[in-house]
Amino acid sequence: MSDLDKRLTDLITQLQQSPPRTREWRSAMNHLLREIQQLPGLVRSSHPNYPAALNLTLEWVSRDIANFQPRSSSVSKSLENWINGYLRWRIKDLYSPDKDAEISLDAPIQEDTGEKTLLDQIPAFTLSGLDSLIENAQKDTTQRIGLELELYIEQDPEGKLKNSYPRSYPECNCQFLSQRRVLKEPPDKFADVARELNIKYTTVNSHWQRKCQPLLQEIAKNLGYQQEQQ
């Protein structure tokens, strides 16, 4: 078994055995989404809206990964085929006469059967049913971005979070505060963090408000999060 197959097997097994939305599940899903985007056989497209099609596909993976079963000795090839079966439909949607259509209601969403569609999931095709479908899609997008933000905080690949701290207090950096305030459940209180670091409460709170929160908002925006217009 290749190193890639072993990594994918470990991640998929963890996802299928962990209760959904737990910290362990979220961490494994983050890593799996990263691995998927690096798969050499993943279908690509030159269409300018390809990232939107890929995002829809990643959201579908996060919902349906429990149903994935390898069909060959190569887990990576099986995963590629499974994902590409859905992704090709999303790319096809991009070239449909309705250029703004992001979701094809009558396209198969399960490669194995080729029969189940998004329309099948709406009990009665009413305006409220369509609104519910759109709302659920938006929630999936927000959830995926939340997962990627958590992974960004843990890895801080560009050092943006760790390098933002109050003068003379490098230990009170935005990565540390984000781990204690965003990743920890329940989050630590600023008073407890201040005592632990032997720093004034006002220093910790002010740095979080003035530097860390805007930085996290910027990172989330770069990951695709769009705040609703008031």
Side-chain angles (χ1 to χ4, degrees):
M1 180 180 290
S2 68
D3 290 343
L4 175 59
D5 280 350
K6 186 177 187 306
R7 290 199 306 273
L8 291 174
T9 299
D10 291 344
L11 289 171
I12 293 169
T13 299
Q14 185 174 351
L15 285 166
Q16 293 178 341
Q17 294 180 351
S18 300
R21 316 309 168 198
T22 59
R23 181 174 177 79
E24 292 76 13
W25 186 95
R26 292 197 304 269
S27 177
M29 179 57 68
N30 272 322
H31 285 87
L32 180 63
L33 293 180
R34 299 276 184 181
E35 292 282 2
I36 287 172
Q37 294 176 73
Q38 301 300 318
L39 289 174
L42 191 69
V43 172
R44 314 285 178 179
S45 171
S46 59
H47 195 286
N49 290 332
Y50 171 75
L54 180 59
N55 280 343
L56 286 172
T57 302
L58 296 178
E59 291 158 18
W60 168 76
V61 169
S62 70
R63 293 192 305 270
D64 273 31
I65 191 62
N67 298 321
F68 170 74
Q69 293 295 334
R71 296 300 180 90
S72 71
S73 58
S74 174
V75 177
S76 58
K77 289 298 182 183
S78 292
L79 187 64
E80 281 179 359
N81 292 336
W82 185 67
I83 294 171
N84 285 339
Y86 183 92
L87 180 55
R88 286 191 181 94
W89 281 103
R90 303 289 72 78
I91 294 174
K92 183 178 179 181
D93 288 341
L94 299 178
Y95 293 93
S96 66
D98 181 3
K99 302 299 185 187
D100 296 327
E102 292 188 347
I103 300 177
S104 175
L105 295 177
D106 59 355
I109 61 174
Q110 287 190 349
E111 182 188 7
D112 292 344
T113 63
E115 296 177 355
K116 191 174 181 182
T117 69
L118 288 174
L119 187 58
D120 295 331
Q121 294 186 329
I122 304 177
F125 190 65
T126 62
L127 181 59
S128 61
L130 184 58
D131 287 344
S132 176
L133 179 68
I134 294 172
E135 180 182 356
N136 288 338
Q138 291 171 339
K139 287 180 179 177
D140 288 336
T141 299
T142 301
Q143 182 180 78
R144 177 188 58 78
I145 293 171
L147 291 171
E148 292 188 0
L149 180 60
E150 289 183 8
L151 183 62
Y152 189 101
I153 291 172
E154 290 177 350
Q155 297 183 343
D156 193 19
E158 300 167 293
K160 290 182 178 180
L161 297 172
K162 195 169 185 178
N163 288 327
S164 177
Y165 52 85
R167 183 178 300 177
S168 302
Y169 298 110
E171 69 275 19
C172 185
N173 59 72
C174 288
Q175 183 186 35
F176 174 79
L177 294 180
S178 297
Q179 289 170 335
R180 303 296 289 270
R181 293 289 297 177
V182 178
L183 300 187
K184 193 170 181 181
E185 184 61 37
D188 286 338
K189 297 178 180 179
F190 284 128
D192 294 334
V193 174
R195 280 194 296 270
E196 178 182 334
L197 299 178
N198 195 25
I199 301 174
K200 291 182 179 179
Y201 167 86
T202 53
T203 299
V204 177
N205 185 57
S206 175
H207 185 65
W208 175 259
Q209 299 288 343
R210 292 175 56 251
K211 297 294 184 179
C212 300
Q213 282 191 330
L215 186 54
L216 289 174
Q217 289 169 356
E218 176 189 342
I219 293 169
K221 184 177 179 181
N222 291 337
L223 291 173
Y225 176 72
Q226 294 182 349
Q227 246 180 336
E228 292 184 2
Q229 299 296 321
Q230 300 296 325

